[in-house]
Amino acid sequence: MKDDPLSMTFAALADPTRRAILSRLAEGEATVNELAEPHAMSLPSVSRHLKVLERAGLVVKGKSAQWRPCRLDAAPLQAADAWMAPYRDFFEQRFARLEQQLANERKEEKP
Amino acid sequence: MKDDPLSMTFAALADPTRRAILSRLAEGEATVNELAEPHAMSLPSVSRHLKVLERAGLVVKGKSAQWRPCRLDAAPLQAADAWMAPYRDFFEQRFARLEQQLANERKEEKP
């Protein structure tokens, strides 16, 4: 696995459980136990996913020894979003072409 | 590696060479040879990266037997971009807080 920051961010996002953890943390801080609950996953398994997210800088663990709640840090997502930006033109053009095609088909259908 | 479409897209993006290939293809179609050149990479190595991109649906190979030029299909990026959208609020808020903080510091510096 490549260890440049952007590659680590994308690799961290390449798993549905990790994306679900981020989406839970977007609502607010949560403990490892709270994060494990909806996935019916073992704590070690959730901890492994959290380590990948922490290494990518997407999750930060609190310092309170007892609870150590996890919180989202969206900064690495901003870099990923910025990488994506120039490609937006491509799929927007694609969508525009599709709309045009549908409009033409509708015209042809009319007598 | 997870094989749901979104995970495959993010996994394909988790490599600087593959991102460079996509950015080259955003400028227009290219053959495998043309893609290999700027990376001083062996053809088999570039082909391996292309296979990951093809599996993720990001690259489509032309049918012309001799050239088989590769082209970008940005549709999977649109899904990745859509996943990212709700997080934009987070880093935009973060940026707004930073701006506020800098403005406050500037005020304090003034006599």
Side-chain angles (χ1 to χ4, degrees):
Chain A
M1 201 173 71
K2 298 290 171 173
D3 61 358
D4 61 285
L6 199 48
S7 296
M8 286 178 79
T9 303
F10 282 130
L13 299 179
D15 183 282
T17 306
R18 289 199 291 270
R19 292 196 300 275
I21 289 175
L22 290 179
S23 125
R24 167 62 189 81
L25 292 178
E27 290 167 20
E29 294 188 346
T31 63
V32 179
N33 276 312
E34 285 167 336
L35 291 172
E37 252 173 55
H39 302 289
M41 272 181 116
S42 69
L43 288 184
S45 177
V46 168
S47 291
R48 265 196 300 277
H49 280 307
L50 279 172
K51 277 214 181 80
V52 178
L53 292 167
E54 277 185 88
R55 269 199 299 266
L58 288 161
V59 164
V60 180
K61 267 198 185 154
K63 280 175 190 155
S64 152
Q66 206 179 351
W67 296 103
R68 306 206 69 201
C70 302
R71 66 171 178 78
L72 172 69
D73 186 348
L77 290 179
Q78 188 166 20
D81 190 64
W83 182 86
M84 208 87 82
Y87 296 90
R88 243 164 252 152
D89 287 347
F90 274 82
F91 46 75
E92 275 158 15
Q93 275 165 29
R94 191 188 145 102
F95 188 67
R97 272 202 304 273
L98 193 66
E99 268 190 324
Q100 188 55 50
Q101 193 183 321
L102 289 171
N104 291 344
E105 280 170 16
R106 256 181 244 119
K107 259 187 226 158
E108 280 164 18
E109 276 166 21
K110 278 180 191 164
Chain B
M1 200 173 71
K2 298 291 170 171
D3 61 358
D4 62 285
L6 200 47
S7 297
M8 286 178 80
T9 303
F10 283 130
L13 298 179
D15 183 282
T17 306
R18 288 199 292 269
R19 292 196 300 275
I21 290 175
L22 292 179
S23 124
R24 166 64 189 80
L25 293 177
E27 291 166 19
E29 293 188 347
T31 63
V32 179
N33 276 312
E34 285 166 336
L35 290 172
E37 254 173 54
H39 302 289
M41 271 180 116
S42 67
L43 288 182
S45 177
V46 168
S47 292
R48 266 196 302 277
H49 281 306
L50 279 172
K51 276 212 182 83
V52 178
L53 292 167
E54 278 184 87
R55 268 198 302 267
L58 289 161
V59 164
V60 181
K61 267 199 184 151
K63 278 175 193 155
S64 153
Q66 204 179 354
W67 295 103
R68 303 206 71 200
C70 303
R71 66 170 178 79
L72 172 69
D73 186 347
L77 290 179
Q78 189 166 20
D81 190 65
W83 181 87
M84 208 86 82
Y87 295 90
R88 243 163 252 154
D89 287 346
F90 274 82
F91 46 74
E92 275 159 15
Q93 274 165 29
R94 191 189 145 102
F95 189 68
R97 272 202 304 273
L98 193 67
E99 269 191 322
Q100 188 55 52
Q101 193 182 321
L102 288 171
N104 290 344
E105 279 171 15
R106 256 181 244 120
K107 258 187 227 158
E108 281 165 19
E109 275 166 20
K110 279 181 192 165

